[in-house]
Amino acid sequence: MTSDPYGDVGALARLLLSGDRQALAKAITLVESTRADHQDSAALLLDLVATGRKHKQPALRVAISGPPGVGKSTLIEALGLFLISKGKQVAVLAIDPSSPVLGGSLLADKTRMNLLSKDPHAFIRPSPSSNFHGGVAVATSESVLLCEAAGFDPVLIETVGVGQSEVEAAFLVDIFVLLLPPGGGDELQGLKKGVLELADVIVVNKADGDLENLALATAASYRAAMALTTQAGMKTHKVSVLSLSALEKKGIQSLWDTIEIHHHSLVKNGQVGSKHDAQAEHWFWQSLEHQCIEQLKASPRIRKITAQLLHSVRNRELSGRAAALKVLSSYLPNEK
Amino acid sequence: MTSDPYGDVGALARLLLSGDRQALAKAITLVESTRADHQDSAALLLDLVATGRKHKQPALRVAISGPPGVGKSTLIEALGLFLISKGKQVAVLAIDPSSPVLGGSLLADKTRMNLLSKDPHAFIRPSPSSNFHGGVAVATSESVLLCEAAGFDPVLIETVGVGQSEVEAAFLVDIFVLLLPPGGGDELQGLKKGVLELADVIVVNKADGDLENLALATAASYRAAMALTTQAGMKTHKVSVLSLSALEKKGIQSLWDTIEIHHHSLVKNGQVGSKHDAQAEHWFWQSLEHQCIEQLKASPRIRKITAQLLHSVRNRELSGRAAALKVLSSYLPNEK
């Protein structure tokens, strides 16, 4: 053992593969680390874990996405407790590249997933720290594999459907669930183009109390819209639409049945394997970009070349772009 | 003249500096271009433009940020028309890294800033295409300089206050205006930690009709909260809080007066220069990262090394991270 807490990566991998939750938490912290001297340990851990469970079934991976305030946490709490009651071990990861950048805040985080977070059959991990910027999604893709290796199945990914994060979430999962409020229209303003097209399952939440009828009507109108786009050949896959009440835990079984039907059809058509291949390739490229930036920022040679140019940039004698191109032409290998 | 429409960058720079709007639009398209053969032209254009207006006053740059649906476009329309009535030429840029990633959509864009977009004294440019991903904010930072060079002052930056974009917007501007709805509480859920800390001016919109009193009360409570945080030493700068109605164009003059007071105090304390220096340095690093990724993706050598490794990645014999580290160690210069 060295003084580095990640010194014995082999032991960490073995513990994790045996289902040890503390080892899982520690392993995720390792893949989220930006320390240069942790990068090789993280890569080794991932390789050991991959080898350790090479011939096992992959876990079912489900994204739960939607605009702020739609009730994602409430749904995940309800769905997670339902799955645990069926004997499953549930992991919940959050992906949110918009997580705080500056320290402190006037707004406090709400207590979320209160019961699920206390359940011994659930593993909940919030978004990686924003220090990791470009690498947030890469780290989450690795955390999915770690959760799977520790025996959690399904792995649920929570993401806010307002930005790039849900596109990245689609690269993490088998099934993408989009949660929407009753009403549509103005509520959809914050929802970006393209998000609807990622969805395998559209869920209208808050089908309870005064909003119940509106939720049913909203689901019906999405169902009609989806049928139209499928007819028009705009959709390459079937989309299911349903309404439920996360708050009153109504419709949770039906949501899970729908997710499983979609998953079975993927498995039956051999699409899970090709999806996972494409995803592995995607995350390789993302990882390549992220690691390249990290090495660039840590490079003494870059610092040296930069020091001379930054003076001209500050004096507006040289644009930032021109300076960047100059730095790269003397740093990256010449391929011309 | 070559067949490349950007062949004569010198002529484009001269036209832009003379205030030609078509040249400005073309110049922005150039800096937004991801084509490898446009990168040097773009850098040259930026250098020519910078040299051309080296001794002129910089334009006042203002960010207008806030959650979806708060009325940013309505406010920018009202503010823009007000400024034009005072004899100003107004540019409006949008920064939105969450712009559509997949083609097509079920949700149509609303017609926005209807009057302002037709006004000959306004220049409005929507977000750069998402093809540009990591480079959206870099391109916008360059577009600000181009608008300024074409004689537009102020330059307004619209950004959705739900993610990383408003942190990037803060690096683009002198004054950061945060637009919030009346009420707070739940409406602030979608607003990320840290955004409040970026604000120089907090504006509660919709002080009209039934919401007028609530808007006034909300502004008062933010004012009290800001006074508290300033007292506690948590804020390094003064924050102004006001309410207005963008819809009824009430309070627009007062908003502009507030922005100018903040700006004068920056100028008086010599902070504009140091702010612009720090921003230029920030965008240099962002540009460096972005250009590095672009060159990495276009590199034939990377493709060649990668081809051998991707097979193992797809077979889960090698993690994406381990493969990425291998690729980089044989591509980037060895500094050890």
Side-chain angles (χ1 to χ4, degrees):
Chain A
M1 278 291 278
T2 72
S3 65
D4 183 339
Y6 297 109
D8 196 349
V9 171
L12 183 60
R14 278 190 300 278
L15 269 173
L16 189 152
L17 286 162
S18 78
D20 185 286
R21 303 160 57 89
Q22 274 191 303
L24 174 57
K26 201 167 157 185
I28 293 180
T29 304
L30 176 58
V31 300
E32 287 174 358
S33 169
T34 51
R35 271 179 54 180
D37 58 334
H38 282 166
Q39 303 310 307
D40 287 331
S41 303
L44 176 60
L45 173 74
L46 290 163
D47 286 343
L48 290 173
V49 163
T51 313
R53 55 163 289 125
K54 194 165 189 277
H55 300 291
K56 292 193 184 162
Q57 277 297 355
L60 171 51
R61 305 155 191 187
V62 180
I64 314 269
S65 183
V70 71
K72 289 183 294 298
S73 301
T74 313
L75 176 60
I76 290 174
E77 165 114 342
L79 179 61
L81 294 171
F82 166 82
L83 291 166
I84 289 168
S85 79
K86 301 286 172 193
K88 293 187 184 288
Q89 304 260 101
V90 181
V92 180
L93 302 172
I95 173 173
D96 182 2
S98 62
S99 47
V101 173
L102 306 174
S105 171
L106 291 172
L107 307 167
D109 263 332
K110 292 195 173 182
T111 311
R112 307 159 67 229
M113 303 184 217
N114 198 25
L115 288 173
L116 193 61
S117 62
K118 288 176 196 151
D119 196 294
H121 300 287
F123 178 85
I124 298 185
R125 181 85 177 194
S127 276
S129 126
S130 60
N131 301 332
F132 206 42
H133 39 87
V136 171
V138 174
T140 307
S141 77
E142 297 171 338
S143 301
V144 170
L145 302 176
L146 297 174
C147 288
E148 176 185 88
F152 289 92
D153 185 359
V155 180
L156 309 179
I157 317 276
E158 180 187 2
T159 172
V160 180
V162 288
Q164 181 63 19
S165 64
E166 69 283 342
V167 178
E168 289 174 340
F171 280 106
L172 293 169
V173 300
D174 304 309
I175 305 294
F176 192 100
V177 177
L178 179 61
L179 195 60
L180 295 174
D186 268 7
E187 286 82 359
L188 290 183
Q189 256 208 57
L191 199 75
K192 285 294 153 182
K193 291 174 183 176
V195 177
L196 273 180
E197 285 154 74
L198 298 172
D200 298 296
V201 182
I202 294 177
V203 175
V204 180
N205 191 19
K206 305 190 184 178
D208 43 47
D210 292 348
L211 290 174
E212 182 161 6
N213 285 332
L214 182 58
L216 294 177
T218 306
S221 71
Y222 284 132
R223 208 170 284 124
M226 287 299 139
L228 269 177
T229 53
T230 308
Q231 252 178 358
M234 286 166 66
K235 272 279 184 188
T236 52
H237 65 293
K238 199 183 162 301
V239 180
S240 302
V241 181
L242 49 94
S243 59
L244 55 72
S245 165
L247 194 66
E248 298 182 352
K249 299 188 168 47
K250 284 191 309 194
I252 305 298
Q253 165 94 55
S254 158
L255 168 61
W256 189 249
D257 290 347
T258 306
I259 290 171
E260 287 206 316
I261 288 167
H262 275 263
H263 187 237
H264 286 158
S265 115
L266 280 181
V267 172
K268 204 180 62 189
N269 303 331
Q271 285 171 293
V272 167
S274 55
K275 204 167 189 172
H276 287 186
D277 282 359
Q279 291 176 342
E281 192 166 333
H282 172 82
W283 293 112
F284 158 74
W285 284 107
Q286 293 298 110
S287 192
L288 186 64
E289 292 187 9
H290 175 67
Q291 293 288 346
C292 183
I293 296 296
E294 291 299 314
Q295 295 192 20
L296 197 74
K297 286 196 286 197
S299 158
R301 250 188 77 195
I302 290 274
R303 290 271 154 196
K304 211 175 141 195
I305 315 169
T306 299
Q308 302 153 4
L309 292 171
L310 268 179
H311 184 75
S312 311
V313 170
R314 278 193 220 96
N315 284 344
R316 316 291 180 275
E317 289 155 8
L318 187 66
S319 67
R321 182 194 291 242
L325 290 173
K326 264 186 217 292
V327 171
L328 290 176
S329 77
S330 68
Y331 179 72
L332 294 181
N334 184 1
E335 300 193 49
K336 276 168 196 162
Chain B
M1 277 292 276
T2 72
S3 64
D4 184 338
Y6 297 109
D8 195 349
V9 171
L12 183 60
R14 280 191 299 279
L15 269 172
L16 188 153
L17 286 161
S18 78
D20 184 286
R21 302 161 57 90
Q22 276 191 302
L24 174 57
K26 201 168 156 182
I28 293 180
T29 304
L30 176 58
V31 300
E32 288 175 358
S33 168
T34 51
R35 271 179 53 179
D37 58 335
H38 282 167
Q39 303 310 308
D40 287 331
S41 303
L44 176 60
L45 174 74
L46 290 164
D47 285 343
L48 290 172
V49 163
T51 314
R53 56 162 290 126
K54 192 164 191 275
H55 299 293
K56 291 192 183 163
Q57 276 296 355
L60 172 50
R61 305 155 192 187
V62 181
I64 315 270
S65 184
V70 71
K72 289 184 294 297
S73 300
T74 314
L75 176 60
I76 290 174
E77 166 116 340
L79 180 61
L81 294 171
F82 166 81
L83 291 166
I84 288 169
S85 79
K86 300 287 170 195
K88 292 187 184 291
Q89 306 260 101
V90 181
V92 180
L93 302 173
I95 173 174
D96 183 2
S98 62
S99 46
V101 172
L102 306 174
S105 171
L106 291 172
L107 306 167
D109 263 332
K110 291 196 173 179
T111 311
R112 304 158 70 230
M113 305 185 216
N114 198 25
L115 289 171
L116 193 62
S117 62
K118 289 176 192 147
D119 196 294
H121 300 288
F123 178 86
I124 299 185
R125 181 86 176 193
S127 276
S129 125
S130 59
N131 301 333
F132 207 41
H133 39 87
V136 170
V138 174
T140 307
S141 77
E142 296 172 338
S143 301
V144 170
L145 300 176
L146 296 174
C147 289
E148 176 185 88
F152 289 90
D153 186 358
V155 179
L156 309 179
I157 316 274
E158 181 187 2
T159 172
V160 180
V162 287
Q164 179 63 19
S165 65
E166 68 283 339
V167 178
E168 289 175 340
F171 280 106
L172 293 169
V173 300
D174 305 310
I175 306 294
F176 193 101
V177 176
L178 179 62
L179 195 61
L180 294 175
D186 268 7
E187 287 81 358
L188 290 183
Q189 255 208 57
L191 200 74
K192 286 294 155 183
K193 290 175 182 175
V195 176
L196 273 179
E197 284 153 76
L198 298 171
D200 299 296
V201 183
I202 293 176
V203 175
V204 180
N205 191 19
K206 307 191 182 178
D208 42 46
D210 292 348
L211 290 173
E212 182 162 4
N213 285 334
L214 182 58
L216 295 177
T218 307
S221 72
Y222 284 132
R223 207 170 284 123
M226 289 299 139
L228 269 177
T229 53
T230 308
Q231 253 179 356
M234 286 166 65
K235 273 276 183 190
T236 52
H237 64 294
K238 198 183 161 301
V239 180
S240 301
V241 181
L242 49 93
S243 58
L244 55 72
S245 165
L247 195 67
E248 298 182 352
K249 297 187 169 47
K250 283 190 311 194
I252 305 297
Q253 166 91 57
S254 158
L255 168 60
W256 190 249
D257 290 347
T258 307
I259 289 170
E260 287 205 316
I261 287 167
H262 275 264
H263 187 236
H264 287 157
S265 116
L266 280 181
V267 171
K268 206 179 60 190
N269 302 332
Q271 286 171 291
V272 168
S274 55
K275 202 166 191 174
H276 287 186
D277 282 359
Q279 290 177 342
E281 191 165 333
H282 172 82
W283 293 113
F284 158 75
W285 284 108
Q286 293 297 110
S287 194
L288 185 65
E289 292 187 9
H290 175 66
Q291 293 287 346
C292 183
I293 296 296
E294 291 298 314
Q295 296 192 19
L296 196 74
K297 285 196 285 195
S299 158
R301 250 188 75 196
I302 291 275
R303 290 271 155 196
K304 211 176 140 194
I305 314 170
T306 298
Q308 302 153 3
L309 293 172
L310 268 179
H311 184 75
S312 311
V313 170
R314 278 194 220 97
N315 285 344
R316 315 290 179 278
E317 291 155 8
L318 187 66
S319 67
R321 181 193 292 240
L325 291 173
K326 263 186 217 290
V327 171
L328 289 175
S329 77
S330 69
Y331 179 73
L332 294 181
N334 184 1
E335 300 192 52
K336 277 168 196 160

